[in-house]
């Protein structure tokens, strides 16, 4: 029997809720609905075990992980009533760089650290990365904060022989994936793009945070597109009544044969945390595989699952 991947999560929000609930659902049912890769180097979806969790919300600290994921402001729905306790109490997370050694000590049993805290705090993101490196745990940055794109940070992971994956997950079926597919389809069919725009509305805490701290998100979204020069990104909109759902609007204006007009308008509605979980389950297994294979630094097989891998614009 293959040894389970021991994962520490940073951030006990909606994305973590979707991942924790989903892994238990797949482990119990054996379903393959919504799974992109059934196995990665022999690791199945159910071969992930949570061993540590970090958060800064006072109401979540000290609670079992499977209890904390349902506390406000989380609003991802319950997938199933049968969710056994994880036996993992949520630990107080970092608010500055002073606690790196404390966190590194708490990561002694972790194979992979999944950084799923809100975007917009690059100093904190890199502090967790450093804690993971010191503990010898692979680090996965799912946010738009610059970690794997930071040459100095990446070099430290290479020198330590520890895997580093990031930055910014590309949702399993989200706005960026759909937008890029349409842009590539136009190009493949000889249709000339004139202009395009993207609007994203959501009701999660991450959306609320990104509205206030949009610094790196716009560039990361543009990094995910193949013809970004003609694309405009509207500011993200936070609408609490959407809860964990995201609503996206895409428009593409183009020219076909002899300059005749082509116009595309698309509305996409998805549960944003589900899209994150569907990718995070693969990123974690890729990171674990790299660690078990003693491959330090960036794992290139993660590139299709990210918006801003190393070398992307900051």
């Amino acid at each position: 029997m293959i040894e389970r991947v021991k994962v520490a999560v940073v951030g006990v929000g909606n994305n973590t809720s979707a991942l924790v609930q989903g892994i238990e659902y797949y482990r119990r049912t054996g379903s393959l609905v919504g799974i992109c890769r059934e196995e990665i180097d022999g690791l199945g979806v159910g071969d992930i075990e949570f061993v540590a969790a970090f958060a800064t919300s006072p109401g979540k600290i000290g609670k079992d992980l499977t209890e904390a994921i349902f506390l406000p402001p989380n609003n991802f729905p319950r997938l199933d009533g049968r969710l056994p306790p994880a036996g993992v109490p949520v630990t107080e997370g970092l608010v500055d760089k002073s606690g790196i050694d404390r966190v590194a000590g708490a990561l002694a049993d972790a194979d992979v650290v999944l950084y799923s805290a809100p975007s917009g705090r690059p100093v904190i993101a890199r502090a967790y990365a450093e804690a993971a490196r010191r503990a010898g745990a692979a680090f996965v940055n799912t946010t738009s904060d610059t970690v794997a794109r930071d040459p100095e940070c990446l070099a430290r992971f290479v020198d330590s022989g520890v895997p580093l994956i990031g930055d910014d997950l590309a949702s399993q079926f989200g706005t960026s994936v759909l937008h890029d597919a349409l842009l590539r389809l136009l190009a493949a069919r000889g249709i000339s793009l004139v202009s395009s725009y993207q609007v994203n509305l959501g009701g999660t805490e991450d959306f609320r945070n990104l509205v206030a701290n949009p610094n790196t998100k716009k560039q990361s979204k543009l990094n995910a597109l193949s013809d970004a020069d003609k694309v405009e990104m509207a500011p993200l909109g936070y609408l609490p009544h959407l809860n964990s759902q995201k609503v996206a609007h895409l428009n593409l204006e183009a020219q076909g044969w002899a300059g005749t007009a082509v116009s595309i308008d698309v509305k996409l509605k998805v549960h944003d945390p589900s899209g994150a979980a569907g990718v995070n389950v693969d990123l974690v297994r890729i990171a674990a595989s790299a660690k078990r294979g003693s491959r330090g630094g960036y794992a290139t097989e993660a590139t299709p699952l990210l918006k801003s891998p190393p070398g992307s614009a900051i």
Side-chain angles (χ1 to χ4, degrees):
M1 180 180 294
I2 194 164
E3 184 179 353
R4 283 185 176 179
V5 180
K6 297 178 180 179
V7 176
V9 289
V10 179
V12 186
N14 283 305
N15 289 359
T16 297
S17 177
L19 184 63
V20 170
Q21 291 191 71
I23 287 173
E24 179 59 28
Y25 168 83
Y26 286 112
R27 187 180 291 150
R28 180 176 54 78
T29 65
S31 171
L32 295 178
V33 174
I35 297 295
C36 183
R37 297 168 179 84
E38 184 177 355
E39 287 192 358
I40 294 178
D41 278 0
L43 293 167
V45 171
D47 294 324
I48 293 174
E49 176 184 354
F50 297 96
V51 296
F54 300 87
T56 55
S57 174
K60 295 177 182 177
I61 295 170
K63 300 289 194 305
D64 188 88
L65 176 60
T66 55
E67 178 184 357
I69 58 176
F70 297 113
L71 296 177
N74 291 13
N75 51 25
F76 184 73
R78 286 182 180 266
L79 299 180
D80 195 320
R82 290 171 286 182
L83 189 64
V88 177
V90 177
T91 302
E92 184 176 3
L94 295 176
V95 294
D96 55 40
K97 296 188 290 184
S98 63
I100 290 177
D101 286 337
R102 171 178 65 84
V103 171
L107 296 175
D109 294 330
D111 299 311
V112 178
V113 177
L114 180 67
Y115 185 76
S116 192
S119 296
R121 300 185 295 180
V123 173
I124 299 299
R126 287 193 287 270
Y128 274 108
E130 176 60 19
R133 186 190 68 81
R134 293 182 188 181
F139 189 78
V140 177
N141 176 34
T142 71
T143 77
S144 59
D145 294 330
T146 302
V147 179
R149 284 172 291 168
D150 182 334
E152 293 183 3
C153 183
L154 181 57
R156 287 195 295 272
F157 273 80
V158 171
D159 291 342
S160 300
V162 178
L164 173 62
I165 292 176
D167 300 320
D168 202 6
L169 68 85
S171 184
Q172 188 175 16
F173 196 80
T175 319
S176 297
V177 169
L178 179 57
H179 201 165
D180 188 54
L182 290 171
L183 290 170
R184 291 180 182 275
L185 179 60
L186 290 181
R189 305 302 293 177
I191 308 299
S192 301
L193 182 69
V194 175
S195 65
S196 183
Y197 67 76
Q198 182 185 128
V199 179
N200 289 276
L201 308 170
T204 65
E205 188 69 3
D206 197 43
F207 260 88
R208 187 186 70 79
N209 175 71
L210 284 168
V211 168
N213 301 288
N215 344 26
T216 56
K217 192 65 177 181
K218 179 178 179 180
Q219 183 59 59
S220 188
K221 280 184 153 299
L222 290 172
N223 288 344
L225 302 180
S226 55
D227 196 1
D229 291 345
K230 296 177 181 178
V231 177
E232 291 293 331
M233 294 284 176
L236 295 174
Y238 172 61
L239 299 177
H241 73 273
L242 289 177
N243 293 319
S244 69
Q245 294 186 99
K246 175 173 71 178
V247 178
H249 297 274
L250 301 175
N251 169 266
L252 298 91
E253 301 294 335
Q255 291 180 327
W257 179 261
T260 52
V262 176
S263 184
I264 303 172
D265 286 285
V266 178
K267 176 183 176 182
L268 173 68
K269 189 173 184 179
V270 293
H271 277 278
D272 209 29
S274 293
V279 171
N280 282 339
V281 73
D282 288 356
L283 292 174
V284 163
R285 290 181 291 169
I286 289 170
S289 174
K291 183 177 186 298
R292 292 177 180 185
S294 300
R295 293 186 287 127
Y298 179 65
T300 56
E301 59 266 43
T303 297
L305 305 178
L306 300 166
K307 291 189 182 82
S308 297
S312 302
I314 298 174

